[in-house]
Amino acid sequence: MSTLMQGLGLVIALATIGAATLAILTRSTVTAVLAAGLVSLLASVLFVVLAAPDVAMTEAAIGSGLTTFLFFFVMGRIRRESEK
């Protein structure tokens, strides 16, 4: 692996750790869900850097896209139920 790829992998890994820390420490549910989605998105980019595009596509579609959508969908349902 070239030095450029190692550097890019390190930057992505540090950004992932930062987003995960934000997801854990924030008090806002919306921010936590978005940060968790960012962790998954950065993981999919890291998989591309590591030459695993099939895993990256699965992580991006399910981990980042579907999971984040489901969190927001459920949060909307909970808010509507509590307003009744």
Side-chain angles (χ1 to χ4, degrees):
M1 185 183 267
S2 71
T3 306
L4 178 63
M5 289 298 179
Q6 287 177 345
L8 183 60
L10 181 63
V11 168
I12 294 170
L14 291 174
T16 303
I17 292 170
T21 304
L22 177 66
I24 292 169
L25 297 178
T26 188
R27 304 286 289 167
S28 169
T29 308
V30 173
T31 304
V33 169
L34 288 174
L38 180 60
V39 168
S40 184
L41 186 62
L42 288 170
S44 67
V45 172
L46 188 59
F47 287 134
V48 169
V49 170
L50 295 173
D54 51 340
V55 179
M57 288 179 56
T58 304
E59 179 67 26
I62 296 182
S64 183
L66 184 62
T67 304
T68 304
F69 170 77
L70 284 175
F71 271 123
F72 280 121
F73 177 75
V74 170
M75 284 174 27
R77 293 288 301 253
I78 290 171
R79 285 188 183 138
R80 275 184 272 160
E81 290 295 323
S82 65
E83 290 173 0
K84 289 183 180 180

